[in-house]
């Protein structure tokens, strides 16, 4: 069961990935996690990636693809995996197909969570973290009850300007990946603005 979980930032991919991991006992593969791990382990690719990150540059595809290839060769991916936040471009999607071909595998299902931009902006900009307890709240959907408002902070990348910029990048670079997988008849689309439990139920029914 090799799955790509697809959707804009804030569409709920991370939340749903955890439910899939628990239900099907397959690992969630996020490039952010792979990068952090490789840097912590001081692997050759990890050190290369760190060089770019320290300079504030994007890690090149060649390095990211190499790290993904190494991760997919690990034993826990035998039963399958969930790609979360990768591929972000059509070039990466094509490269992922080549990596999997060498491993005699292929992407079987792509689950796309569709959420309108306005809702994503509301979801992300409403998030606040308590400096004291570390708990994460949402000012509309999950407001704090017993926190001092002065202790609640917004992450620097949760502002409206940053979210809108990330969404523009998503529509320009990442949205075309969905067409790439649609041409392979692998895409199932779900309304990501439904209740969390309903989305999980629909994902499980698609995966069977």
């Amino acid at each position: 069961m090799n799955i790509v979980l697809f959707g804009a930032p804030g569409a709920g991919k991370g939340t749903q990935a955890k439910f899939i991991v628990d239900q099907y006992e397959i690992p969630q593969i996020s490039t952010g996690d792979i990068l952090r791990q490789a840097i912590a382990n001081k692997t050759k690719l990890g050190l290369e990636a760190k060089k770019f990150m320290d300079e504030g540059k994007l890690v090149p595809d060649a390095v990211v693809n190499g790290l993904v290839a190494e991760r997919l060769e690990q034993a826990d991916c035998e039963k399958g995996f969930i790609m979360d936040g990768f591929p972000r471009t059509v070039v990466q999607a094509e490269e992922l197909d080549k990596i999997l071909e060498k491993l005699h595998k292929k992407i079987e299902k792509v689950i796309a969570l569709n959420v309108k931009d306005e809702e994503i902006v509301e979801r992300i900009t409403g998030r606040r973290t308590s400096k004291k307890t570390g708990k994460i709240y949402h000012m509309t959907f999950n407001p704090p009850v017993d926190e001092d408002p002065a202790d609640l902070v917004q992450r620097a990348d949760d502002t409206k300007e940053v979210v809108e910029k990330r969404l523009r990048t998503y529509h320009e670079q990442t949205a075309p990946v969905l067409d790439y997988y649609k041409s392979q008849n692998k895409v199932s689309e779900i309304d990501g603005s439904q209740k969390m439990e309903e989305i999980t139920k629909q994902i499980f029914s698609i995966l069977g």
Side-chain angles (χ1 to χ4, degrees), residues 58-188:
L58 277 178
V59 180
D61 273 1
V63 178
V64 175
N65 294 339
L67 288 165
V68 168
E70 282 179 1
R71 180 67 185 87
L72 290 173
E73 284 168 8
Q74 290 174 20
D76 64 343
C77 293
E78 273 305 304
K79 280 171 63 180
F81 53 82
I82 310 156
M83 299 302 303
D84 169 15
F86 184 91
R88 284 174 195 247
T89 62
V90 172
V91 172
Q92 286 182 346
E94 290 168 346
E95 195 54 42
L96 179 60
D97 278 350
K98 287 178 196 162
I99 290 166
L100 290 170
E101 203 178 326
K102 285 180 190 159
L103 299 169
H104 308 293
K105 293 178 179 180
K106 61 178 185 209
I107 293 298
E108 284 150 351
K109 290 189 190 297
V110 177
I111 294 170
L113 302 178
N114 295 330
V115 184
K116 288 195 175 86
D117 283 6
E118 310 84 79
E119 187 176 333
I120 282 175
V121 171
E122 188 188 359
R123 280 184 188 186
I124 297 179
T125 55
R127 289 196 297 219
R128 297 290 184 278
T129 307
S130 166
K131 285 189 289 189
K132 276 199 174 157
T133 62
K135 284 184 184 168
I136 298 170
Y137 298 96
H138 193 284
M139 302 316 281
T140 309
F141 310 123
N142 175 31
V145 181
D146 50 5
E147 296 269 9
D148 180 346
D151 290 331
L152 299 172
V153 290
Q154 183 183 45
R155 272 176 33 179
D157 55 352
D158 282 354
T159 61
K160 190 168 188 280
E161 295 72 30
V162 174
V163 176
E164 285 176 345
K165 189 179 172 195
R166 286 172 71 198
L167 283 169
R168 277 197 299 277
T169 304
Y170 168 79
H171 289 301
E172 286 164 16
Q173 296 181 5
T174 309
V177 175
L178 203 55
D179 293 327
Y180 174 80
Y181 285 121
K182 277 180 180 173
S183 71
Q184 300 178 2
N185 294 320
K186 292 179 177 175
V187 177
S188 298

Side-chain angles (χ1 to χ4, degrees), residues 7 22 33 51 57 85 123 127 147 156:
D22 292 345
D33 292 345
K51 202 171 64 186
K57 293 178 183 168
R123 280 184 188 186
R127 289 196 297 219
E147 296 269 9

Side-chain angles (χ1 to χ4, degrees), residues 3-46:
I3 307 159
V4 171
L5 207 46
F6 198 85
K13 299 188 299 295
T15 304
Q16 294 300 332
K18 287 181 182 66
F19 297 134
I20 300 170
V21 166
D22 292 345
Q23 177 78 4
Y24 297 96
E25 296 177 337
I26 55 177
Q28 173 187 0
I29 297 179
S30 126
T31 45
D33 292 345
I34 298 175
L35 277 168
R36 280 188 288 276
Q37 193 73 51
I39 290 166
N41 294 343
K42 295 188 166 61
T43 68
K44 184 168 172 276
L45 285 170

